[in-house]
Amino acid sequence: MKRLIGPLLLVLLLAGVGAAIYFSVRDQFVQHSIVNVRGLISSDKQDFFNDPAVQKALLRGGFVVDPIKAGSREIATGYDLKTFDFAFPAGSPAASKIMQSQKSAQAFDIFYSPMVIASWKPIVQILEANGVAAKAGAFESFNMEAYLKLVDKDVRWKDLQASNAYPVNKSVLLTSADARKSNSGAMYLALASYALNNATLVQSDADLQKMQPLLTKLMSAQGFTENYTEAPFDDYLLMGMSKTPMVMIYESQYIARAAQPGGIQNPDAVLMYPTPTVFSKHVFVAFNDNGARLGQFLRTDPELQQLAIQHGYRTADQAAFAAFRQTNKLNIPDQVTNVVDSPSYELLEKMITNLDNPVPAK
């Protein structure tokens, strides 16, 4: 027995040394294969990239990501993109502009989110009584054309029928982020332009010229507007109906907050879906090989795609999104089908740059 113990200990010692060498070599290999990738992201994706589960999944793929937050329009026009590995704006217009300026760039569709309106049950009931909102199954629809007629006539909340729950002298007006900086504000203009153009996509300067005064009013009448869509949504959650009766946001923002532990505390909070609405596509634009590897990984890795759903985004896996909705008892549609395209980048850019023009007096 004693003669066996010595060789056995030697075998165990050699096995331990071998294992230590193996794990050390493996760890060094992993460390050497990890790349640091730096890029610009729209502000709504900051929580996604800050999520420890997302960072762990990215590390598994060999990436440490340094995301820098900026407005989507700023990403497309305000940075020297050659100093970054990728850009990840919200909205296909910004991505298209980036692709135009960076001829060798590669684009990857990662996920998307419909534009929605966060509001309150008393407000929705008023809107229903005035033909602006309507029940559409388990959720609410919002008639953009009817709403714009109220804005054009400077209608106040107190002047609406059945306004007892909100008899204030404020104009009937959606809150949004600043279209000059934020994609969500630009998507608000895109939806309004479609409604003002007889439910037709704006395709010419002549179409735009007719509607520009009201488009300008949608922004200027708000007064100060925030640069990022998180700010008006935070005001909506913190200060409630008195401050923000209606706010244009990404559906993903509302879903991500509602699915968190504790959810959205106010039981009167509700979403309305513009009919039609527009999708904000989140297109990853890679400027080099490391960026392209990251874009491919974000698009194809099952864990990252599931984490995107947990952050409220819709992906190509509709069944996974439906399961997430059911698990979290979210009162939203599994699919959004009444959707229009946004105008071309050039026309949308004209809408935005013309916002500083004064609205002609009636």
Coordinates of all heavy atoms in Angstrom, one line a residue, residues 259-295:
A259 N -41.1 45.6 -17.3 CA -40.6 44.3 -17.0 C -39.6 44.2 -15.9 O -39.3 43.1 -15.4 CB -40.0 43.6 -18.3
Q260 N -39.2 45.4 -15.4 CA -38.2 45.4 -14.3 C -39.0 45.0 -13.0 O -40.2 45.1 -12.9 CB -37.6 46.8 -14.1 CG -36.6 47.1 -15.2 CD -36.1 48.5 -14.9 OE1 -36.4 49.2 -14.0 NE2 -35.2 49.0 -15.8
P261 N -38.3 44.5 -12.0 CA -38.9 44.2 -10.7 C -39.6 45.5 -10.2 O -39.0 46.6 -10.1 CB -37.8 43.8 -9.8 CG -36.7 43.3 -10.7 CD -36.9 44.1 -12.0
G262 N -40.9 45.4 -9.8 CA -41.6 46.6 -9.4 C -42.3 47.3 -10.5 O -43.4 47.9 -10.3
G263 N -41.8 47.1 -11.8 CA -42.5 47.6 -13.0 C -42.7 49.1 -12.9 O -42.0 49.9 -12.3
I264 N -43.8 49.5 -13.6 CA -44.2 50.9 -13.6 C -45.3 51.1 -12.5 O -46.3 50.4 -12.6 CB -44.7 51.3 -15.0 CG1 -43.6 51.3 -16.0 CG2 -45.4 52.7 -15.0 CD1 -44.0 51.6 -17.5
Q265 N -45.0 51.9 -11.6 CA -45.8 51.9 -10.3 C -47.2 52.4 -10.5 O -48.2 52.0 -9.9 CB -45.1 52.7 -9.3 CG -43.8 52.1 -8.8 CD -43.9 50.8 -8.2 OE1 -44.8 50.6 -7.4 NE2 -43.0 49.8 -8.6
N266 N -47.4 53.4 -11.4 CA -48.7 54.0 -11.6 C -49.6 53.1 -12.4 O -49.3 52.9 -13.6 CB -48.6 55.4 -12.2 CG -49.8 56.2 -12.1 OD1 -50.9 55.7 -12.2 ND2 -49.7 57.5 -11.9
P267 N -50.7 52.6 -11.8 CA -51.6 51.7 -12.6 C -52.3 52.4 -13.7 O -52.9 51.7 -14.6 CB -52.6 51.2 -11.5 CG -52.6 52.3 -10.5 CD -51.2 52.9 -10.5
D268 N -52.3 53.7 -13.8 CA -53.0 54.5 -14.9 C -52.1 54.6 -16.1 O -52.6 55.1 -17.2 CB -53.4 55.9 -14.4 CG -54.7 55.8 -13.6 OD1 -55.4 54.8 -13.7 OD2 -55.0 56.8 -12.9
A269 N -50.8 54.2 -16.0 CA -50.0 54.3 -17.2 C -50.4 53.4 -18.3 O -50.8 52.2 -18.0 CB -48.5 54.0 -16.8
V270 N -50.4 53.9 -19.5 CA -50.9 53.1 -20.7 C -50.2 53.5 -21.9 O -49.7 54.7 -22.0 CB -52.4 53.3 -20.8 CG1 -52.8 54.7 -21.2 CG2 -53.0 52.3 -21.8
L271 N -50.1 52.6 -22.9 CA -49.5 52.9 -24.2 C -50.6 53.1 -25.2 O -51.6 52.4 -25.2 CB -48.6 51.7 -24.6 CG -47.2 51.7 -24.1 CD1 -46.4 50.6 -24.8 CD2 -46.4 53.0 -24.2
M272 N -50.3 54.0 -26.2 CA -51.1 54.1 -27.4 C -50.2 53.9 -28.6 O -49.1 54.3 -28.6 CB -51.8 55.5 -27.4 CG -52.8 55.8 -26.4 SD -53.7 57.3 -26.6 CE -52.4 58.5 -26.2
Y273 N -50.8 53.2 -29.6 CA -50.0 52.9 -30.8 C -50.6 53.8 -31.9 O -51.7 53.6 -32.3 CB -50.1 51.4 -31.2 CG -49.3 50.5 -30.3 CD1 -49.7 50.2 -29.0 CD2 -48.1 50.0 -30.7 CE1 -49.0 49.4 -28.1 CE2 -47.3 49.2 -29.9 CZ -47.8 48.9 -28.6 OH -47.0 48.2 -27.8
P274 N -49.8 54.7 -32.4 CA -50.2 55.5 -33.6 C -50.6 54.6 -34.8 O -50.0 53.5 -35.0 CB -49.0 56.3 -34.0 CG -48.2 56.4 -32.7 CD -48.4 55.1 -32.0
T275 N -51.7 55.0 -35.5 CA -52.1 54.2 -36.6 C -52.1 55.1 -37.9 O -52.9 56.0 -38.0 CB -53.5 53.7 -36.4 OG1 -54.4 54.8 -36.0 CG2 -53.6 52.6 -35.3
P276 N -51.1 54.9 -38.7 CA -50.0 53.9 -38.6 C -48.9 54.4 -37.7 O -48.9 55.6 -37.4 CB -49.5 53.7 -40.0 CG -49.7 55.0 -40.6 CD -51.0 55.6 -40.0
T277 N -48.0 53.5 -37.4 CA -46.8 53.9 -36.7 C -45.6 53.7 -37.6 O -45.7 53.3 -38.8 CB -46.6 53.1 -35.3 OG1 -45.5 53.7 -34.6 CG2 -46.3 51.7 -35.5
V278 N -44.4 53.9 -37.1 CA -43.2 53.7 -37.8 C -42.2 52.9 -36.9 O -42.2 53.1 -35.7 CB -42.6 55.1 -38.3 CG1 -42.2 55.9 -37.1 CG2 -41.4 54.9 -39.2
F279 N -41.5 52.0 -37.5 CA -40.5 51.3 -36.8 C -39.2 52.1 -36.7 O -38.7 52.7 -37.7 CB -40.1 50.0 -37.5 CG -41.2 48.9 -37.3 CD1 -41.3 47.9 -38.2 CD2 -42.1 48.9 -36.2 CE1 -42.2 46.9 -38.0 CE2 -43.0 48.0 -36.1 CZ -43.1 46.9 -37.0
S280 N -38.6 52.1 -35.5 CA -37.2 52.6 -35.4 C -36.3 51.4 -35.5 O -36.2 50.6 -34.5 CB -37.1 53.4 -34.1 OG -35.7 53.8 -33.9
K281 N -35.6 51.2 -36.6 CA -34.7 50.1 -36.8 C -33.4 50.5 -36.2 O -32.9 51.6 -36.3 CB -34.5 49.8 -38.3 CG -35.7 49.2 -38.9 CD -35.5 49.0 -40.4 CE -34.4 48.0 -40.7 NZ -34.2 47.7 -42.1
H282 N -32.8 49.6 -35.5 CA -31.5 49.8 -34.9 C -30.4 49.0 -35.7 O -30.3 47.8 -35.6 CB -31.5 49.3 -33.4 CG -32.4 50.1 -32.6 ND1 -31.9 51.2 -31.8 CD2 -33.7 50.0 -32.3 CE1 -33.0 51.7 -31.2 NE2 -34.0 51.0 -31.5
V283 N -29.8 49.8 -36.6 CA -28.8 49.3 -37.5 C -27.4 49.5 -37.0 O -27.0 50.7 -36.8 CB -29.1 49.9 -38.9 CG1 -28.1 49.3 -39.9 CG2 -30.5 49.7 -39.4
F284 N -26.7 48.5 -36.9 CA -25.3 48.5 -36.5 C -24.4 48.7 -37.7 O -24.5 47.9 -38.7 CB -24.9 47.2 -35.8 CG -23.5 47.2 -35.2 CD1 -23.3 47.4 -33.9 CD2 -22.4 46.9 -36.0 CE1 -22.0 47.3 -33.3 CE2 -21.1 46.8 -35.5 CZ -20.9 47.0 -34.2
V285 N -23.6 49.8 -37.7 CA -22.8 50.1 -38.9 C -21.3 49.9 -38.5 O -20.8 50.6 -37.6 CB -23.0 51.5 -39.4 CG1 -22.2 51.8 -40.7 CG2 -24.5 51.8 -39.7
A286 N -20.6 49.0 -39.1 CA -19.2 48.7 -38.8 C -18.3 49.4 -39.7 O -18.5 49.4 -41.0 CB -19.0 47.1 -38.9
F287 N -17.2 49.9 -39.2 CA -16.2 50.6 -40.0 C -14.9 49.9 -40.3 O -14.1 50.3 -41.1 CB -15.9 52.0 -39.3 CG -17.1 52.8 -39.0 CD1 -17.2 53.5 -37.8 CD2 -18.1 53.0 -40.0 CE1 -18.3 54.3 -37.5 CE2 -19.2 53.8 -39.7 CZ -19.3 54.4 -38.5
N288 N -14.8 48.7 -39.6 CA -13.6 47.9 -39.8 C -13.9 46.4 -39.4 O -15.0 46.1 -39.1 CB -12.4 48.4 -38.9 CG -12.8 48.6 -37.5 OD1 -13.5 47.8 -36.9 ND2 -12.3 49.7 -36.8
D289 N -12.9 45.6 -39.4 CA -13.1 44.2 -39.2 C -13.6 43.9 -37.8 O -14.5 43.0 -37.6 CB -11.8 43.4 -39.5 CG -11.4 43.3 -41.0 OD1 -12.3 43.6 -41.8 OD2 -10.3 43.0 -41.3
N290 N -13.0 44.5 -36.8 CA -13.5 44.3 -35.4 C -14.9 44.7 -35.3 O -15.7 44.1 -34.6 CB -12.6 45.1 -34.4 CG -11.2 44.5 -34.2 OD1 -11.1 43.3 -34.5 ND2 -10.3 45.2 -33.8
G291 N -15.3 45.9 -35.9 CA -16.7 46.3 -35.8 C -17.6 45.3 -36.5 O -18.7 45.0 -36.0
A292 N -17.2 44.8 -37.6 CA -18.0 43.8 -38.4 C -18.2 42.5 -37.6 O -19.3 41.9 -37.6 CB -17.4 43.5 -39.7
R293 N -17.1 42.1 -36.9 CA -17.2 40.9 -36.1 C -18.2 41.1 -35.0 O -19.1 40.2 -34.7 CB -15.9 40.5 -35.5 CG -14.9 39.8 -36.5 CD -13.6 39.5 -35.7 NE -13.8 38.8 -34.5 CZ -13.1 39.0 -33.4 NH1 -12.0 39.9 -33.4 NH2 -13.3 38.4 -32.3
L294 N -18.2 42.3 -34.4 CA -19.1 42.6 -33.3 C -20.6 42.7 -33.8 O -21.5 42.1 -33.2 CB -18.7 43.9 -32.6 CG -19.7 44.4 -31.5 CD1 -19.8 43.4 -30.4 CD2 -19.2 45.8 -31.0
G295 N -20.8 43.3 -34.9 CA -22.1 43.4 -35.5 C -22.7 42.0 -35.8 O -23.9 41.8 -35.5

